[in-house]
Amino acid sequence: MNTAVIAGAVDLGLAGSSPVTKGLSAPLNIPYKVVWIHDVIGENEALVAKKGIGSVKALKGKKIATPFGSTSHYSLLAALESAGLKAGDVTLVDLQPQDALAAWQRGDIDAAYVWTPALTDLEKDGKVLVTSREIAEQGRPTADLGVVTTAFAAKHPKIVDAWLRAEDQAVKLAKSDPGKAATAIGAELNLSPAQAKKQLAQLVLLTAKEQQGSDYLGKPGAPGALARNLHDASVFLKSQKAIDAVPDQSVFDRALAVKELSRAAR
């Protein structure tokens, strides 16, 4: 998504909080803003281990797969830290979810931190040690974020407003009638309504009004805690040599599209 924005092919897009943090940091410095929180990641991302491994601490010396630089990678390191382990205490393998599943089935890895649908297959013969919802409750939330380029937002405010109202309407439907929402989502993604409803329940969905809260995007003049979370993610990315430097907190404060959100939340 970041590559597409840089190429001028995309004006609105969705990415995890780690890739968005990377986009806002050097050397990319992409001129875009976070305009919507599609979801706070919950049980749809988790750390799964082979049966017989009963805790995160028991992963010491084991081989764990996760996509490097992703929200799962960030949450995995947070989980290890909470268990008193360092990244060097385990062997980390950079694998996308489907590749991690294949490595799991071959017996090449002991655990994986990934997202659905690969996560669902891992859970069939593995044990969930911790979920991203639990990591969030420990103060390390991750999210899927909607971004809009600053140029597009300035040139087409009515389109951005219409898009935000549609997102808000979808969240309200998912909250008020999850069955109806799951049927629509399932048809789009070739999932049964039951499968879609289960995955939907694993996410924390927020209306526009809720996203104006201090824990999230916030309001004009009062950027929310999401900015601080993104700054924390930049510290993580710098430690992984994925960005050149940790930006100042003000970079992330300015990157929250609170003015656009406030129009949608009326």
Side-chain angles (χ1 to χ4, degrees), residues 72-134:
S72 284
H73 188 193
Y74 174 82
S75 296
L76 171 59
L77 294 184
L80 292 174
E81 183 182 314
S82 295
L85 298 178
K86 299 177 181 178
D89 291 328
V90 300
T91 300
L92 297 179
V93 185
D94 183 11
L95 291 175
Q96 290 299 311
Q98 288 301 319
D99 295 326
L101 176 60
W104 170 280
Q105 292 169 339
R106 291 193 303 267
D108 294 343
I109 59 174
D110 302 294
Y113 206 126
V114 294
W115 50 85
T116 53
L119 174 61
T120 303
D121 290 324
L122 292 172
E123 290 174 341
K124 291 176 181 176
D125 60 345
K127 177 181 173 61
V128 175
L129 300 182
V130 68
T131 70
S132 289
R133 189 187 295 270
E134 294 170 296

Side-chain angles (χ1 to χ4, degrees), residues 12-87:
L12 281 158
L14 179 152
S17 45
S18 288
V20 170
T21 300
K22 188 174 182 179
L24 292 168
S25 306
L28 297 183
N29 296 315
I30 300 174
Y32 61 27
K33 300 186 285 186
V34 178
V35 71
W36 186 252
I37 301 173
H38 286 281
D39 60 82
V40 177
I41 297 171
E43 288 86 2
N44 60 311
E45 288 190 20
L47 174 60
V48 182
K50 293 286 188 180
K51 289 179 179 176
I53 299 175
S55 67
V56 177
K57 194 165 187 176
L59 288 171
K60 185 172 183 179
K62 304 295 186 182
K63 189 177 291 187
I64 311 170
T66 196
F68 283 10
S70 68
T71 50
S72 284
H73 188 193
Y74 174 82
S75 296
L76 171 59
L77 294 184
L80 292 174
E81 183 182 314
S82 295
L85 298 178
K86 299 177 181 178

Side-chain angles (χ1 to χ4, degrees), residues 201-237:
Q202 294 174 334
L203 304 169
V204 179
L205 302 178
L206 304 164
T207 64
K209 279 284 187 186
E210 289 170 332
Q211 294 194 30
Q212 284 192 298
S214 59
D215 286 341
Y216 303 109
L217 280 165
K219 297 180 179 180
L226 176 62
R228 187 178 68 249
N229 295 337
L230 294 175
H231 183 268
D232 290 344
S234 72
V235 175
F236 154 70
L237 289 170

